[in-house]
Amino acid sequence: MMLAVLAVVVLIHNVHQLEHLDHSTVSGLNWITEPGDQQSSSRTTKIASKTYCGYEHQILSKRERAEEESLLAAIQWPKPPEDKIPFVRSTDPAHSDFVILNHHARFKGRSKCLCHWSTLAKGSKSFNAYGKKSQTEFTLKVYLDLEGIRKQLCAIISHAKGGYQKGLLTAAENLFFQNDVNIKMPVFSSGPDSVTVKPLRFTESGNLERQGPDVFPSGYYYEDQWRPRTHWIHHFNNSVDVTKCLQGKVIYLFGDSTIRQWFEYLTAFVPDLVEFNLGSPKNVGPFMSVDLKHSILLNFRCHGPPIRFTTVFTSELRYIANELNGIVGGRNTVIAITIWSHFSTFPLEVYIRRLRNIRRSIVRLLDRSPKTVVVIRTANVQELGPEVSLFNSDWYSFQLDTIMRKMFSGIAVFFVDAWEMSLAHYLPHNLHPEDVIVKNQVDAFLSFVCPLET
């Protein structure tokens, strides 16, 4: 009994001390504070003001404030009508059709195909459902471990995801989410519905000027192979070519599960890459694969919170900016980053702040090691079922993706356009694209690591 009372007293004392930590201690707890924000952290002494919900209180410089306002202005679109829209006047696929106007023309990879889309009404109420309140809860769980004779108190802190609010739709709104009525309904053509596309010849594509991440469309598929409009990529269909490209290199993959697919693909595709068992949770990591024969080290680590993984020890939650600061870099160092999916239920200001910190670390890394290859993987479209569409949206992901492209433009990084590569393929949308799409993403990534000699 006395032991239990003592444990509680010690715990209360520790919590009290935690609430009154000075700034130097707070800055070391990278599982609570955001890294890199020196201006705001220098004015902050309590953990409470550094939580993710405190983004409205962050102190920005004049330049950062102008950048944020510019980014938010660039992604604005008209709001849907505020008045109620009758179900029969919604953008129902059953009342929509399309026709390809110039289907008789001969098309090449960058040609424009004109299509007339006809629908009963615009501003579907279903697009407005995302605006309803939703939330993701995160829990810090504290466990006490009392060890027999030593009577040692040990606190283990882990991160766990909560859930989403249920029952957000009214009976009237549910009408807009009916399978085989206005969801998962094909939109049939009222005229010609197919074209024949021939690939660009090398001389045609080779003369294209190199463009930034905002070129649209950025490429197209021909026989399941992605062909960018801005540069020529090599398709690594043989594992020997991948090994030759990565020989002697250390590869860091940072981000969410969509870039974890790159780790899984490369480990499975290259026979000499053997995963080293770190005892990590299957969907969380960190993961490591090693090819001792060819001196290849492949790493994956998820980004810091917010995350929607299962329970994770906070000691394994690392911010990308902090990790980049600890990398020496060089011609044999390759870094790929993506960070978007777990931010799709958070305000844009939170996302902008995170990217700003990562960008700052990338610039520092490239200043000290200009030969380091840094690749940004963009967001991708995903399947949105009746429930998922209430707290997730490709429209919102597109905003995140736009912000990502703008914030990383102008610095020496490469872009893998996962958005276009998942949107243009005939396979159904999927948060985790199928292997054929992942392969093309990895091919684009490796083409930046080992560019073709011209």
Side-chain angles (χ1 to χ4, degrees):
M1 180 64 181
M2 290 297 295
L3 185 61
V5 173
L6 177 62
V8 172
V9 171
V10 172
L11 177 61
I12 294 174
H13 173 75
N14 288 343
V15 171
H16 178 76
Q17 292 297 318
L18 184 62
E19 291 175 346
H20 295 82
L21 288 175
D22 59 17
H23 169 68
S24 62
T25 306
V26 171
S27 62
L29 295 175
N30 66 352
W31 54 272
I32 292 180
T33 62
E34 287 201 45
D37 197 356
Q38 298 174 354
Q39 185 172 16
S40 60
S41 63
S42 64
R43 296 173 171 83
T44 306
T45 59
K46 292 186 179 181
I47 293 177
S49 62
K50 294 292 291 180
T51 60
Y52 289 95
C53 295
Y55 71 93
E56 294 178 335
H57 307 292
Q58 61 182 291
I59 300 175
L60 301 178
S61 67
K62 185 176 180 180
R63 177 180 295 180
E64 290 170 342
R65 177 66 63 187
E67 178 187 48
E68 182 175 288
E69 292 175 354
S70 175
L71 290 168
L72 295 177
I75 58 176
Q76 291 300 313
W77 55 59
K79 294 182 179 180
E82 295 183 359
D83 55 328
K84 293 183 178 180
I85 301 176
F87 174 70
V88 295
R89 294 190 61 238
S90 68
T91 46
D92 185 354
H95 298 90
S96 304
D97 58 53
F98 71 95
V99 58
I100 297 177
L101 300 179
N102 55 341
H103 65 285
H104 291 300
R106 296 182 63 183
F107 296 92
K108 293 183 179 180
R110 64 176 184 269
S111 302
K112 293 183 178 179
C113 175
L114 302 180
C115 180
H116 175 72
W117 191 282
S118 175
T119 185
L120 186 63
K122 294 184 178 179
S124 169
K125 184 61 178 275
S126 62
F127 289 142
N128 196 29
Y130 178 74
K132 284 187 165 288
K133 184 179 180 182
S134 64
Q135 68 180 29
T136 304
E137 298 176 353
F138 297 94
T139 305
L140 289 177
K141 296 182 178 179
V142 179
Y143 298 92
L144 298 180
D145 178 24
L146 302 179
E147 296 183 6
I149 300 176
R150 298 183 62 184
K151 301 181 177 65
Q152 180 182 357
L153 179 64
C154 177
I156 303 175
I157 304 176
S158 64
H159 173 288
K161 74 172 184 177
Y164 297 94
Q165 291 182 344
K166 304 292 185 179
L168 296 176
L169 297 182
T170 65
E173 289 172 333
N174 273 319
L175 293 175
F176 296 94
F177 297 91
Q178 301 179 80
N179 286 334
D180 301 325
V181 176
N182 50 14
I183 289 181
K184 296 185 178 179
M185 282 285 291
V187 177
F188 296 103
S189 172
S190 59
D193 62 353
S194 63
V195 297
T196 300
V197 179
K198 294 186 177 181
L200 290 171
R201 294 192 300 272
F202 179 79
T203 54
E204 294 176 305
S205 64
N207 292 330
L208 291 175
E209 292 184 3
R210 190 174 178 85
Q211 303 179 48
D214 295 328
V215 60
F216 176 82
S218 64
Y220 62 97
Y221 282 103
Y222 183 75
E223 295 182 345
D224 265 347
Q225 290 190 337
W226 180 250
R227 303 198 176 202
R229 292 176 54 203
T230 57
H231 58 279
W232 200 254
I233 71 171
H234 174 55
H235 292 282
F236 293 78
N237 299 322
N238 191 313
S239 63
V240 175
D241 294 334
V242 177
T243 299
K244 182 179 179 181
C245 173
L246 297 181
Q247 184 166 359
K249 290 181 170 55
V250 179
I251 305 98
Y252 299 91
L253 305 178
F254 296 116
D256 53 43
S257 57
T258 60
I259 206 169
R260 189 187 71 219
Q261 288 185 281
W262 291 14
F263 176 91
E264 295 166 346
Y265 172 83
L266 286 170
T267 302
F269 187 70
V270 180
D272 291 329
L273 264 179
V274 179
E275 183 173 354
F276 188 85
N277 186 3
L278 299 175
S280 304
K282 180 178 180 181
N283 294 329
V284 180
F287 300 123
M288 176 189 297
S289 289
V290 181
D291 179 352
L292 294 176
K293 181 179 178 181
H294 301 97
S295 300
I296 301 173
L297 178 60
L298 177 65
N299 301 276
F300 163 80
R301 183 175 287 279
C302 68
H303 61 73
I307 58 175
R308 291 196 296 267
F309 293 125
T310 53
T311 302
V312 188
F313 286 120
T314 56
S315 61
E316 295 293 352
L317 296 180
R318 314 283 182 83
Y319 289 103
I320 295 175
N322 284 345
E323 293 297 297
L324 294 176
N325 290 338
I327 296 175
V328 175
R331 66 174 66 252
N332 291 324
T333 301
V334 181
I335 298 169
I337 301 170
T338 194
I339 179 168
W340 64 276
S341 177
H342 296 256
F343 285 80
S344 59
T345 51
F346 286 83
L348 292 168
E349 291 86 349
V350 176
Y351 187 62
I352 292 172
R353 176 174 178 169
R354 180 62 59 83
L355 293 190
R356 186 182 293 123
N357 292 333
I358 294 174
R359 182 180 61 189
R360 185 183 294 117
S361 293
I362 290 177
V363 171
R364 285 198 293 256
L365 171 61
L366 294 176
D367 280 345
R368 63 179 178 267
S369 302
K371 297 296 184 180
T372 307
V373 176
V374 180
V375 179
I376 305 296
R377 181 204 185 277
T378 71
N380 59 262
V381 293
Q382 58 185 299
E383 181 183 10
L384 296 169
E387 183 176 353
V388 175
S389 62
L390 296 180
F391 52 81
N392 236 316
S393 166
D394 277 345
W395 295 103
Y396 194 75
S397 296
F398 182 73
Q399 287 184 310
L400 298 178
D401 190 64
T402 302
I403 288 174
M404 176 194 295
R405 293 168 190 258
K406 289 183 178 297
M407 292 191 71
F408 287 117
S409 296
I411 59 178
V413 300
F414 299 96
F415 287 85
V416 171
D417 198 339
W419 185 275
E420 287 289 301
M421 297 171 79
S422 59
L423 185 65
H425 203 274
Y426 57 80
L427 285 173
H429 294 176
N430 194 333
L431 174 61
H432 302 110
E434 299 293 332
D435 285 347
V436 62
I437 299 177
V438 174
K439 179 194 181 301
N440 280 283
Q441 293 175 3
V442 173
D443 286 351
F445 164 64
L446 294 176
S447 295
F448 294 132
V449 179
C450 305
L452 293 173
E453 297 181 1
T454 57

